[in-house]
């Protein structure tokens, strides 16, 4: 089955431009997604866009969607009762191991896959999670209680210092990495943030995985538009989560 | 078991080649296909200027067919030349698919890619519109003849393949026109025009509304096209394309007269591993049947010709 059909059951505004949209299956729901895996959401007359699965119950699918001005503007305005198509889940998500101390960096709408990771980590023995959310100011932070209630240590950074650490999320991460030991650093957010986080991981010798964004159109590895340039890897099937090793090994022609 | 073959003056280690438009827009992806066992690659169709293509949804799949309308996105020929050079580093043939919305565009793109080391040029003759004509370009034998002539004279001694459309009443006529105009070989076929709706959403499944059907449903149509071309043109090199998933699908093409096949849609389900599986299964088949080589199998006289 290509499109699984869902009806919008709620749409809650979280910040000025980020919404939580909940869908309810009207036929067979998509199979279970792991944190970091994504789906294609088809909004009739608008188009498709890739979205990370934020929460998934038997019949329900939750997304956290940011308005970037294109089709996502329509997605944040979906209203109760509207019908949509969903295909997926696609790709490969974050790896979760026992007895690991994780540092998670979420920038804006990069939060959903990492919040899902926090949820999965809850029931994994020996895992502790520090979840960082970065934004320009306090009004743009969201779902912090959700992360806390799932057992994560939660810290925030804001550019203007209106809440938490004043500065970039990667600066906060640098401070934490020099104060304590983490086994793995996982990140999702704008490319610049991902690259900075990757640099930190290298410097501190910490295992890294990041969820990237490219031009996803087919989502099944045929159109080639989501290529991670120069790596031979397709974001839609080999990603969207890549480890430092995968991105570096490939740079040298792998 | 030797499964190498010749398609015109191209020497291929196996008869399994990556089809145009299947993750063929970047050198590292072309190298991945070659490292995964493709004996040659055909690139995404390249135009003179940058094209955005269509917005998603651009692709839809059912168990029996795929349909796509990607809209031929690309960065334009000059930014692609470096990718050709880099894709050639493994020493396997890199065939560049060229497109155009005018005859001049086809020939200038072909000239540029030939100069940058393309081992062959495949002319994508299934663009929907061209200068001054409302009809589909590739289904008019006269236009096919003019494009092939111009491209052939632009690329010097590089082999030129004309990729034909099945959206025609007579593919032989198109093939004959291409060969008379100097094409060194033919690729059959591109996708069959089609349309699919989602009945729950009451919406087309492609942003472009209609698109091209590939995969399993295209397969018997494509096999017939190869047969019709082989009958009309006993000595012309032919690539068969359409719905190659298993080695039995490839055998259909060889029995219908193809020299080699290109693999497209099946990669979405089977991944790049499909090339090694096809090679292994072809070797097993030939051994079981007692052939000494792939060449011996394809050259066997068939009563349906
Ligand atoms: C695997 C994957 C998972 C994703 N998960 C989510 C998710 O859970 N929630 C979510 O909100 N989004 C997610 N996205 C991004 C989302 O799919 C849209 O592509 C993105 O929001 C762009 O929206 P648009 O199509 O409306 O904008 P477009 O029409 O593509 O662009 C509108 C404008 O926004 C700019 N723009 C586009 N993308 C970005 C970006 N990422 N950052 C900054 N500016 C941008 C463009 O340059 C343009 O100026 C994901 C993307 C991928 C590939
Ligand atoms: C997503 C997609 C993109 C394609 N893009 C091109 C293209 O750029 N140029 C071209 O000549 N053919 C293109 N084709 C057609 C294929 O090369 C091939 O002729 C057709 O799909 C039939 O083979 P298949 O059934 O193995 O896919 C494309 C096909 C698909 C599915
Ligand atoms: S989106 Fe088409 S190959 Fe990844």
């Amino acid at each position: 089955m290509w499109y699984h059909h869902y009806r919008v059951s709620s749409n809650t505004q979280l910040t000025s431009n980020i919404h939580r949209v909940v869908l309810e299956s009207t036929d067979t729901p998509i199979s279970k997604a792991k944190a970091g895996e994504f789906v294609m959401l088809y909004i009739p007359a608008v188009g498709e866009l890739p979205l990370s699965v934020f929460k998934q119950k038997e019949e329900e699918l939750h997304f956290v969607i940011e308005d970037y001005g294109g089709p996502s503007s329509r997605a944040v305005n979906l209203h109760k009762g509207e019908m949509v198509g969903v295909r997926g889940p696609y790709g490969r998500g974050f790896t979760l191991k026992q007895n690991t101390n994780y540092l998670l960096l979420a920038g804006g709408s990069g939060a959903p896959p990492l919040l899902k990771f926090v949820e999965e980590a809850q029931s994994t023995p020996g895992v502790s999670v520090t979840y960082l959310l970065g934004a320009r100011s306090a009004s743009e932070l969201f779902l912090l209680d959700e992360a806390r209630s799932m057992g994560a240590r939660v810290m925030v950074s804001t550019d203007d210092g209106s809440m938490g650490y004043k500065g970039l999320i990667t600066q906060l991460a640098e401070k934490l990495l020099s104060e304590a030991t983490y086994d793995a650093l996982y990140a999702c957010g704008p490319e610049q943030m991902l690259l900075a986080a990757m640099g930190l991981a290298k410097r501190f010798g910490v295992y890294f995985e990041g969820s990237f964004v490219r031009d996803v159109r087919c989502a099944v590895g045929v159109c080639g538009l989501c290529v991670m340039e120069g790596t031979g890897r397709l974001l839609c099937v080999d990603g969207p989560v890549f480890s430092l090793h995968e991105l570096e090994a490939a740079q040298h022609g792998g | 078991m030797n499964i190498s073959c010749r398609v015109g003056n191209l020497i291929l280690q196996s008869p399994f080649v990556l089809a145009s438009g299947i993750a063929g827009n970047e050198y590292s992806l072309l190298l991945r296909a070659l490292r995964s066992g493709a004996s040659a690659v055909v690139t995404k169709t390249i135009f003179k200027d940058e094209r955005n293509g269509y917005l998603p949804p651009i692709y839809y799949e059912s168990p029996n067919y795929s349909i796509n309308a990607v809209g031929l996105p690309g960065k334009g020929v000059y930014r692609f030349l470096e990718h050709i050079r880099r894709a050639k580093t493994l020493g396997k043939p890199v065939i560049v698919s060229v497109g155009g919305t005018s005859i001049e565009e086809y020939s200038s793109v072909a000239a540029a890619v030939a100069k940058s080391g393309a081992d062959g040029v495949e002319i994508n003759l299934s663009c929907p519109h061209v200068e001054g004509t409302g009809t589909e370009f590739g289904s008019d034998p006269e236009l096919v003849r003019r494009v092939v002539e111009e491209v052939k004279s632009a690329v010097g001694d590089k082999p030129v393949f004309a990729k034909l459309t099945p959206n025609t009443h007579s593919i032989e006529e198109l093939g004959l026109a291409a060969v008379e105009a100097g094409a060194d070989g033919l690729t059959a076929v591109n996708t069959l025009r089609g349309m699919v709706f989602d009945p729950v959403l009451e919406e087309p499944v492609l942003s472009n509304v209609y698109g091209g059907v590939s995969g399993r449903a295209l397969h018997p149509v494509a096999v017939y096209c190869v047969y019709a071309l082989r009958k009309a043109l006993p000595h012309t090199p032919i690539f068969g394309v359409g719905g190659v998933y298993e080695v039995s699908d490839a055998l259909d093409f060889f029995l219908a007269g193809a020299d080699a096949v290109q693999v497209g849609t099946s990669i979405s389900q089977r991944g790049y591993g499909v090339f090694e599986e096809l090679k292994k299964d072809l070797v097993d088949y030939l051994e079981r049947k007692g052939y000494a080589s792939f060449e011996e199998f394809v050259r066997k006289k068939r009563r349906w010709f």
Side-chain angles (χ1 to χ4, degrees), chain A residues 155 165 170-180 200 204:
Chain A
M155 298 172 83
Y165 178 86
T170 43
Q171 293 171 325
L172 172 58
E174 185 176 358
K175 181 167 166 279
L176 295 176
L177 285 163
S178 44
E179 288 168 3
L200 281 178
F204 287 90

Side-chain angles (χ1 to χ4, degrees), chain B residues 162-176:
Chain B
K163 183 165 179 183
L164 304 178
T165 174
N167 298 303
T168 171
H169 65 283
S170 167
I171 196 154
E172 304 90 300
E173 218 180 306
L174 299 176
L176 282 165

Side-chain angles (χ1 to χ4, degrees), chain A residues 92 94 185-187 189-199 201-202 207-214 226-236 238-254, chain B residues 26-28 32:
Chain A
R92 290 184 340 175
F94 289 104
L185 191 163
Y186 287 1
E191 183 104 352
Q192 254 188 321
M193 178 202 128
L194 291 172
L195 297 178
M198 217 158 100
K202 256 199 273 194
Y207 178 75
F208 173 85
E209 289 183 7
S211 181
F212 288 75
V213 173
R214 285 293 179 276
C226 68
V227 62
M228 298 297 287
E229 305 77 8
T231 68
R233 290 178 206 264
L234 294 167
L235 178 132
C236 68
D238 306 313
V241 175
F242 293 99
S243 68
L244 179 64
H245 171 77
E246 285 171 315
L247 294 174
E248 282 198 332
Q251 297 280 317
H252 307 120
Chain B
E26 215 252 10
Y27 78 93
S28 69
R32 180 173 181 179

Side-chain angles (χ1 to χ4, degrees), chain A residues 215-226 234 236:
Chain A
D215 185 2
V216 171
R217 296 200 207 176
C218 73
V220 292
V222 294
C223 77
L225 291 165
C226 68
L234 294 167
C236 68

Side-chain angles (χ1 to χ4, degrees), chain B residues 173-257:
Chain B
E173 218 180 306
L174 299 176
L176 282 165
V179 170
E180 280 165 21
D184 301 283
L186 301 171
T187 301
V189 288
N190 213 312
T191 53
L192 202 50
R193 209 183 284 119
M195 189 172 196
V196 175
F197 288 90
D198 181 303
V200 178
L201 300 175
E202 302 177 10
E203 228 10 67
V205 299
L206 296 172
S207 66
N208 187 54
V209 182
Y210 64 90
V213 176
S214 65
R216 296 192 197 278
L218 179 62
H219 180 66
V221 176
V223 171
Y224 169 74
C225 288
V226 166
Y227 166 71
L229 290 167
R230 177 55 73 224
K231 231 177 151 146
L233 295 156
H235 307 295
T236 299
I238 299 177
F239 281 112
V241 204
V244 174
Y245 289 73
E246 320 280 337
V247 76
S248 60
D249 303 319
L251 293 169
D252 288 336
F253 276 117
F254 303 140
L255 292 169

Side-chain angles (χ1 to χ4, degrees), chain B residues 251-266:
Chain B
L251 293 169
D252 288 336
F253 276 117
F254 303 140
L255 292 169
D259 299 281
V261 296
Q262 298 177 1
V263 180
T265 301
S266 64

Side-chain angles (χ1 to χ4, degrees), chain A residues 141-201:
Chain A
L141 297 165
F142 55 90
L143 296 177
L144 297 174
D145 288 339
E146 190 111 3
R148 277 188 204 104
S149 72
M150 294 186 295
R153 174 165 76 124
V154 175
M155 298 172 83
V156 301
S157 69
T158 51
D159 297 356
D160 64 5
S162 49
M163 190 172 161
Y165 178 86
K166 181 175 190 305
L168 296 175
I169 186 170
T170 43
Q171 293 171 325
L172 172 58
E174 185 176 358
K175 181 167 166 279
L176 295 176
L177 285 163
S178 44
E179 288 168 3
T181 308
Y182 296 86
D183 304 312
L185 191 163
Y186 287 1
C188 183
E191 183 104 352
Q192 254 188 321
M193 178 202 128
L194 291 172
L195 297 178
M198 217 158 100
L200 281 178

